[in-house]
Amino acid sequence: MPEEKIDFKKARMKAGIEIHQQLDSKQKLFCGCSTAMQEKEPVAVVVRKQHPVASELGAIDAAAQYEYLRGRSFHYHVFRDETCLVDTDEEPPHALNREALQIALEIAMLLNCEIPAEINVMRKTITDGSNTGAFQRTMIIGTGGWMKFGGKKVPITQVALEEDSAAIVREGENGNGGKDPAEENGKATYRLNRLGVPLVEITTGTLEDFSPGQLQEIAFMIGITCRSTEKVKHGIGTIRQDLNVSVRGGERVEVKGVQELGMLAKVIEKEAARQLELLKTGKKVEKETRATLLDGSTRFMRPMPGAARMYPETDVPPVALDDVWLKQLREKLPEPWTDKLERFKTKLELPADLAVQVVGSDYLDIFENIMKKHPKVNAVVVANVFTSTLKDIGRRKLDVKRLEDRHFFAIFSELEKKRIVKEAIPDLLVNFVNAPDEAMGDALRKLNLTMLKPDELKEIVAQLAKDSPGMAKERLYGIAMGRVRGRADPQDVLKAVERAAKK
Amino acid sequence: MYSPEIEALLKKKGVEAGGRVRVTAGKAEYEGILMPRVVAGDAQSIVLKLENGYNLSVRYGKGFEMKKLAGGARIKHKAADVAPAKDASKPTVTVLGCGGTIASRVDYTTGAVFPAFSPGDMLASFPELKEVANIRGRKLFDLFSDDMTPAHWQAIAAEVAKEIKAKADGIILMHGTDTMHYTAAAMSFMLPNLPVPVVMVGSQRSSDRGSSDNAMNLTCGAVAAVSDVAEVGVCMHGTTNDDYCLLHQGTKVRKLHTSRRDAFRSINVRPFAKIWYEDRRMEVLRDDYKRRGHAGRFALDDKMNPRVGFVYNHPGMDPAYVASLANHFDGIVVAATGLGHVSTNPKGDPLARSIVPALKALVDSGMPVVFVPQTIYGRINLNVYEAGRILEAAGVIGNGCDWTPEAALVKLMWVLGHTKDPKKVRELMLTNVAGELTERTGTETFMT
């Protein structure tokens, strides 16, 4: 399909984004279990069935669901420190985790939401077995918010705090020969350590007049707004995106499970293209839910479910929100990383992509501290060290985790005082990985990275010119650089070469 | 209830719970269905169920406005219209609702959860029941099991007797789990020589969720109700898995966990049977039960004296408190420590306070004092320690008994309903009436 030729504006493409971000609270949302999700070996397996619950839905629907569930059994892996009776649906939920509530409130406030008068916990009926209780606990934390994006306000319809579901054990993982476990004699296997981990679900309004690339950027901005609290989890699987995509003349299609942010634009493009192709050939776009595949395309998952089936969680009384507490939270809100990004671009003059990389990196804190303490150092140099030099060193099988903040401060202090040049930094870092306790002076001497005085540099270059009379300037520069790399600023070397050549 | 201001506003606007409204509070505007205010929570906030299903609380105050909209929902339960099928080849089981909610119906429009009890409701919720038996049933009362009294036990027993007369092949009692083992013991004493099974079932997880243990307990209970175990039984989960239920003897069962599915355990005996959910197979574990069609004559025997007290012995127990029990009760049950002990202070420790004189005074006044094990498992033995021998001499009842505290309590009420003669009370208490006392304890009966 000629994806690059789609005119998304003309196609009236609309999209909504739903971001699920796990929170890094110490305990789960409704129990005292750890949220670490580190345990690998289950200590027990619990086997359960599920039943439909009678509702106002028709008898036929209930009968079909009964037959469907009758043939299925759910196997739950239990972990010693990451699963308890609440997770196995053997004990009522404990009180709502205040730490998670606070993080969620901070996120809702950063997204300019209205905060409700009290928190009402709901049960959302789920029958795929991913919740042992057959429902997910969820609650509204904020409504009617917005986020600035390129001079526009992106509407944030709702911020909800909810329990993560149990993770399904996928193909091959439980030795079932690579089949989808859900298909194996109606048996599905889940790991209970993810169940109950708090997450925020952030829903944007319907977004029009944005390109897929811009939509991906919006998702990124929402993600880093969450990370502004410094209390959200990061790493694979800790942030997941769902989408709603439609084009003119089509229907709203729900796309589930975009695991990687970098795929978002591609998924939107491919889905819009798929819908346009259907319409062009006179076919109908079905209102359905689709799953994301590895290449960014989607496959049919199920018809679009009706409205979420919710009723109150009567085991958790409504949680009153104290005005004084909310006021304190508002006053102590961290600087949103979206603002930080802007500041890096304008004040520190970082190129946009480098600024994004710094904000997204694990070294954001130390980057900012270095810029605070050594403001005369070139921010681009510091940013590059944290976004690429360290990666290069890591690729050489060296453990960069052995580097401590003091090493970085010492190096950038030398740089600010012009006692070293930036070319010396990689060798110094490698040195401190191997000898973390060596004094800076000793390291510089050992590595021969002590900066040359102007006279010394002049003399070396003059000597080189004298040794090879008539040599081309470029070649002389190359030889000189080889001799003084890491000990002189290349600009100064160039000047010295120019001067020597004039003689 | 909402605050008087909100109630007044609702009245003025003509809005009732279930009505659709639009609410403005400052810059925010919401549309949804007005929810009734639950007991907990902020009375100064109104609760709306939004279109996306969530409940949202909006504070009533400055800038608050409400507009009544068309539409809405009635927060009311309508019974399912599934007709109970009649299959001549299948036995008939009567289900009697004794409180506790074993089936629910959820109205997702309003989020309301209704207890469902009509046979139609039950068959809608548990279609597998009709594969086991023809189901008929009715609700006796609607209360938490903690609100049960001996008068309720008498009412249940009378209804069971009526159903037996009406040729039910088995009876299921749906009951809240908290006091289910008390009711089970009461039925065991009040319904001697049962011709058919009487099976109690309940659920530890609310019936509004797809994971509830109700379906398995009820289905296995139905299997027990059509079996040949003509006894009072309690049928509940055997493990945390949905694999099998255990059918416990009514006088030997106890709730041992506040919340787990497998909270009910047999004490000092094996359960009657294991009932596998998947294939509804009953695996009998004992052979000392009465069979359906036995020769004994059934007759309701429901006389009770509820003036029985229960005392939990503890270090530092006040003798004056024990003495005061004479004013309240016709008999007391003492949950004693270890093999059946309370403070007897034979060595005359200056700080210890023996309660033997107080207990002996009660016994001498003609009040039965019954000892049961605080340890739950095991048998009372008053011969081993000096304390026990002192208590035996003081006239407490219970030496050699392996009853559960609850079965002994119910038995004492039942015995006192039949006689006041201390000698006869003692004799009857120490005689096995409904399986509450055994002569041997198998090695496999602890914590299983």
Side-chain angles (χ1 to χ4, degrees), chain A residues 378-447:
Chain A
N378 184 342
V380 177
V381 172
V382 182
N384 273 322
V385 164
F386 290 118
T387 57
S388 76
T389 311
L390 286 178
K391 274 186 202 146
D392 291 341
I393 295 172
R395 259 179 235 126
R396 285 154 60 186
K397 297 267 179 320
L398 291 165
D399 186 8
V400 291
K401 286 202 196 88
R402 298 186 65 180
L403 294 170
E404 294 168 32
D405 288 5
R406 61 187 169 101
H407 296 125
F408 295 111
F409 280 108
I411 289 170
F412 288 112
S413 165
E414 293 295 300
L415 187 66
E416 187 178 43
K417 290 176 192 144
K418 294 199 190 299
R419 289 208 289 245
I420 58 168
V421 292
K422 69 175 195 289
E423 285 76 12
I425 294 175
D427 289 345
L428 280 170
L429 288 170
V430 170
N431 182 70
F432 288 127
V433 168
N434 294 322
D437 293 323
E438 192 163 47
M440 179 60 86
D442 294 343
L444 291 176
R445 268 189 295 281
K446 185 177 79 186
L447 299 171

Side-chain angles (χ1 to χ4, degrees), chain B residues 187-198:
Chain B
M187 293 307 112
S188 305
F189 291 110
M190 292 172 165
L191 301 166
N193 287 321
L194 270 177
V196 300
V198 171

Side-chain angles (χ1 to χ4, degrees), chain B residues 160-425:
Chain B
V160 171
K162 215 191 277 175
E163 281 306 314
I164 289 171
K165 219 169 172 185
K167 298 275 180 271
D169 295 303
I171 291 146
I172 292 177
L173 302 178
M174 300 206 302
H175 198 285
T177 57
D178 280 7
T179 67
M180 182 144 71
H181 48 303
Y182 289 86
T183 304
M187 293 307 112
S188 305
F189 291 110
M190 292 172 165
L191 301 166
N193 287 321
L194 270 177
V196 300
V198 171
V199 182
M200 302 195 65
V201 297
S203 60
Q204 285 281 85
R205 291 276 81 70
S206 65
S207 52
D208 55 59
R209 62 182 88 189
S211 65
S212 174
D213 51 333
N214 58 358
M216 173 165 136
N217 293 345
L218 190 56
T219 303
C220 293
V223 172
V226 301
S227 75
D228 75 336
V229 183
E231 298 266 5
V232 175
V234 166
C235 187
M236 294 287 287
H237 264 61
T239 72
T240 189
N241 301 314
D242 288 339
D243 45 8
Y244 62 82
C245 277
L246 289 172
L247 181 64
H248 304 279
Q249 183 189 316
T251 48
K252 285 300 218 185
V253 62
R254 196 170 193 279
K255 190 178 187 182
L256 278 185
H257 198 279
T258 56
S259 59
R260 282 178 64 124
R261 288 164 170 73
D262 52 355
F264 284 84
R265 312 309 298 175
S266 281
I267 307 298
N268 296 332
V269 295
R270 284 195 300 276
F272 283 135
K274 228 179 220 187
I275 299 163
W276 295 87
Y277 185 36
E278 191 82 37
D279 55 6
R280 294 174 205 146
R281 180 166 49 87
M282 183 150 157
E283 186 185 329
V284 175
L285 305 175
R286 283 166 58 174
D287 61 5
D288 60 339
Y289 59 89
K290 283 211 176 69
R291 266 65 170 180
R292 185 188 286 277
H294 62 80
R297 196 179 148 270
F298 168 74
L300 178 65
D301 183 3
D302 66 349
K303 289 191 286 296
M304 296 287 263
N305 177 351
R307 286 175 52 86
V308 171
F310 189 87
V311 183
Y312 202 91
N313 176 51
H314 59 84
M317 181 102 169
D318 183 356
Y321 165 64
V322 175
S324 74
L325 297 170
N327 306 324
H328 297 277
F329 301 112
D330 295 338
I332 60 166
V333 175
V334 178
T337 52
L339 288 165
H341 304 138
V342 294
S343 173
T344 55
N345 198 20
K347 291 174 184 162
D349 183 278
L351 295 175
R353 294 197 291 174
S354 166
I355 62 168
V356 175
L359 286 178
K360 189 161 185 323
L362 294 177
V363 172
D364 291 346
S365 74
M367 180 192 266
V369 175
V370 173
F371 268 38
V372 297
Q374 208 171 87
T375 57
I376 306 304
Y377 281 98
R379 190 179 295 271
I380 298 282
N381 190 324
L382 301 177
N383 308 328
V384 180
Y385 291 97
E386 192 176 2
R389 292 191 288 270
I390 290 170
L391 289 161
E392 172 76 351
V396 307
I397 301 168
N399 196 7
C401 294
D402 67 332
W403 46 29
T404 65
E406 296 76 17
L409 178 86
V410 172
K411 183 178 184 183
L412 185 55
M413 290 181 182
W414 182 80
V415 167
L416 287 174
H418 290 74
T419 176
K420 277 192 172 135
D421 177 353
K423 221 178 121 204
K424 279 191 186 149
V425 169

